[in-house]
Amino acid sequence: MKSIRRNTQLILALDVTDSNTAIKISKETAQYVDAIKIGYPLVLGAGLGIINKIYEIAPVIADFKVADIPNTDRLICSQTFEAGASAVIVHGFTGRDSVSECVRTAKDFNGDIFVVTEMSHPGAVEFMQPNALELASLAVECKATGVVAPATRPERVKQIRDIVGDLTIISPGVGAQGGSAADAIKVGADYVIVGRGIYNSKNPGIEAEKIVKEIEKCR
Ligand code: 3DU
């Protein structure tokens, strides 16, 4: 299985809902992204087979925010890895047994698990923010590959970095949600995730290249 690359530090969030558009944008942006993150919008629109089609273009992160009992989590993760995903995003609030089961399942496929800490939208301050640092610790304890942390709150990415050490931080919220790629990278994100800012633009390739250049300046 292809691992997520470490070249540009940009991950495309491909939340379009039809297969042809998804493939077209994947091809246009492939040289600028280290992985393509897909989730329910695309899989519900195009079917699970879309994972394999995109995998031929770039490594795929399946953002299914898995949040169930360990047995159900195992079934969801194994189906997703079998479909060709290189990584699966899971919630941590379900507890260590559920997260550990996801990590165990990922190992069977040589895949990665990323645990959500604090989400990037305003509502995340209600229930997620008070628990985000503990969720970050849980990801370390369960030996996840990394965590998802909010580019909309760089100060939180910094705090989460202090907790997760050398785990990988992937950071959504750049562009449409108001976060900046440079700020997120400067405070310790390994990758920024950008969706609408790229796939809604007239020329997704050019937009992706712009963000990559912005990231390069921070190195
Ligand atoms: O706002 P954008 O269009 O750039 O998309 C961001 C993507 O990242 C989108 O797929 C969303 O579901 C996902 N995401 C967050 O935005 C925030 C999180 O905390 C976790 C995932």
Side-chain angles (χ1 to χ4, degrees), residues 37 40 61-68 72-74 76-78 80-81 87-106 112-119 128 135 138-139 142 144-148 170:
K37 182 180 85 64
Y40 295 115
I61 301 175
D63 186 357
F64 289 161
K65 298 199 178 66
V66 180
D68 217 308
T72 308
D73 285 347
R74 177 178 59 79
I76 296 169
C77 289
S78 56
T80 309
F81 285 119
V88 178
I89 295 177
V90 309
H91 270 304
F93 60 74
T94 46
R96 38 183 66 66
D97 54 352
S98 289
V99 174
S100 295
E101 189 63 29
C102 294
V103 172
R104 254 196 301 278
T105 307
D112 294 308
I113 294 292
F114 292 96
V115 179
V116 176
T117 57
E118 178 176 315
M119 292 182 71
M128 304 198 84
L135 292 167
L138 179 74
C142 296
T145 299
V147 294
V148 188
I170 61 177

Side-chain angles (χ1 to χ4, degrees), residues 13 18 21-22 26 33 38 42 56-57 72 93 121 123 126 131 144 150 157-158 161 163 182 195 203 211 215 218:
D18 82 280
T21 312
S26 298
V33 302
I38 65 162
L42 181 56
E56 286 168 18
I57 304 167
T72 308
F93 60 74
H121 63 308
E126 291 178 54
N131 298 297
V157 176
K158 198 164 185 236
R161 167 57 73 205
I163 288 173
N203 192 324
I211 299 166
I215 294 169
C218 309

Side-chain angles (χ1 to χ4, degrees), residues 108-181:
D108 293 342
F109 294 89
N110 250 330
D112 294 308
I113 294 292
F114 292 96
V115 179
V116 176
T117 57
E118 178 176 315
M119 292 182 71
S120 55
H121 63 308
V125 304
E126 291 178 54
F127 302 111
M128 304 198 84
Q129 192 169 79
N131 298 297
L133 302 183
E134 278 182 79
L135 292 167
S137 299
L138 179 74
V140 175
E141 220 181 281
C142 296
K143 299 189 164 55
T145 299
V147 294
V148 188
T152 47
R153 296 182 208 96
E155 72 285 1
R156 297 293 284 168
V157 176
K158 198 164 185 236
Q159 289 170 346
I160 289 166
R161 167 57 73 205
D162 288 342
I163 288 173
V164 302
D166 59 3
L167 255 55
T168 301
I169 297 182
I170 61 177
S171 192
V174 168
Q177 297 181 50
S180 123

